[in-house]
Amino acid sequence: MVIVIGMAFVTMVPRLIPVFIVDKIQFPNWLNGWLDVIPYAALGALIFPGVLTVIPEKPWIGFIGSLFAVLFAVFRANIIFIVLGASIAVFLLTLY
Amino acid sequence: METRIILNNQQSVKIKMVKKGFIAALPIILGYLPIAITYGVLASQSGISLFELTAMSILVYAGAAQFMGVNMITVGAGSIEIIVATFVLNFRHFVMSLSFANRTRPLEKKWKIPLSLGLTDESFSVASLNTKEGNQEAGGYFYGTLMVTAYASWIVGSFLGGVLGDVIPETLSRSMGIALYAMFIALLIPSVKKEIRFGYIAIVAMVLNYVFSYQWALAQGWSIVCSTLLASFIGTFMIKGRSF
């Protein structure tokens, strides 16, 4: 339980501190611009190369699965459909 | 009479925002449930009590860190070592929280404090790409519902995994492993279609993350932090001014 509380503490503090920073300081424009594009960079870093580890011993399955997701998304499929579609694709590929 | 109509109106705006928040959280639920169940199963198999494994989901609420924590506990790592590793892995949420707090400046602190504690990779991504709802009247209700729904599904999933064990066949839960990646892709593509430079930023981040984590063997946490910061910084030179 000591470990759990320690883990909680070091996770919560970095999540919380920015609220107070933003409350106290007005950022210059260049910093606002930087923070504004962080979600797109974060998405990139979260997707790759992590997606290759979906089936760790067969990295290509995750890659093909993500291509399906891209394809569905390009054709404006609903996000739930994209998630399920990619999962089904991976499921079928693991059977193969 | 007139005030009552206005009050009713505000009430219905709030309800609408709660609904929108819940719908936005659906893909997160879909992704979280199988992972949380797997976590619950793994943790209970490692001899962690149901109380402790659920407490970890309630208090830590960070998937990758919880898997790592369970793994380190199993191999007998020291508590300081586990806590430091958790800090490194979760430090990326500092960057995300800073971006999110700055984006939601108009929100009051009583909203922003609990919202910041609910930030994960997934809730941050969904929230940041749905600022249209968030910036409207009662936007706090949108973000709040989104965060609470994701949080609840994570806790319920880990508890179920701990109680029931393997309820989902392994082939299925492995296939569902792509769910959150597919969600990230689904969030990214519409923005890229609107503004191709967002796509370039994401690709730069992917390449950097690959180089940092595979070539330089940097810890996963630092790798994501560094590639996110660097790619978005490079991105500011591609995008002049705040056009969104």
Side-chain angles (χ1 to χ4, degrees), chain A residues 1 7 11 14-16 22-23 25 32 34-38 41 44-46 48-50 55 57 74 91, chain B residues 52 61 90 94 97 99 102-103 105 109 116-117 119 174-175 181 193 205-206 209 229 232-233 236 242 244:
Chain A
M1 204 59 205
M7 286 174 75
T11 306
R15 279 176 181 165
L16 197 54
V22 168
D23 204 45
I25 308 165
N32 281 323
W34 188 0
L35 291 173
D36 275 344
V37 292
I38 275 183
L46 290 171
F48 192 84
I55 308 291
E57 62 279 11
V74 167
F91 180 71
Chain B
E52 277 179 321
Y61 184 38
N90 286 344
F94 175 81
S97 182
S99 167
N102 195 43
R103 222 167 245 263
R105 267 179 193 273
K109 239 183 92 199
S116 77
L117 292 174
L119 278 183
R174 266 160 65 105
S175 312
Y181 293 109
K193 281 169 94 175
M206 288 181 189
N209 194 26
L229 284 176
S232 48
F233 184 68
T236 56
R242 303 180 75 176
F244 38 89

Side-chain angles (χ1 to χ4, degrees), chain B residues 55-225:
Chain B
M56 204 196 268
S57 284
I58 294 172
L59 295 172
V60 182
Y61 184 38
Q66 288 178 230
F67 275 103
M68 185 197 67
V70 167
N71 192 21
M72 288 179 84
I73 291 170
T74 318
V75 299
S79 44
I80 299 291
E81 204 184 330
I82 297 175
I83 292 165
V84 170
T86 304
F87 174 75
V88 170
L89 187 56
N90 286 344
F91 189 73
R92 64 185 188 281
H93 293 146
F94 175 81
V95 177
M96 295 179 186
S97 182
L98 195 61
S99 167
F100 183 69
N102 195 43
R103 222 167 245 263
T104 53
R105 267 179 193 273
L107 278 183
E108 289 169 70
K109 239 183 92 199
K110 66 165 192 197
W111 279 108
K112 273 198 268 190
I113 289 173
L115 288 179
S116 77
L117 292 174
L119 278 183
T120 60
D121 299 340
E122 294 75 24
S123 61
F124 164 75
S125 306
V126 174
S128 300
L129 296 188
N130 286 290
T131 35
K132 202 176 71 201
E133 281 83 4
N135 286 335
Q136 283 169 12
E137 194 195 334
Y141 286 85
F142 169 76
Y143 290 135
T145 312
L146 165 64
M147 300 284 181
V148 168
T149 310
Y151 186 47
S153 70
W154 181 252
I155 296 168
V156 169
S158 16
F159 179 77
L160 286 181
V163 175
L164 303 174
D166 278 309
V167 277
I168 301 181
E170 203 207 329
T171 41
L172 192 64
S173 67
R174 266 160 65 105
S175 312
M176 288 302 287
I178 191 122
L180 293 173
Y181 293 109
M183 182 186 81
F184 291 142
I185 292 169
L187 290 169
L188 186 60
I189 298 289
S191 315
V192 174
K193 281 169 94 175
K194 263 184 260 164
E195 175 59 73
I196 186 75
R197 283 171 292 190
F198 293 153
Y200 298 147
I201 294 173
I203 289 170
V204 170
M206 288 181 189
V207 172
L208 288 174
N209 194 26
Y210 177 79
V211 171
F212 292 158
S213 57
Y214 279 52
Q215 310 290 329
W216 296 6
L218 219 60
Q220 194 198 348
W222 290 133
S223 179
I224 292 181
V225 170

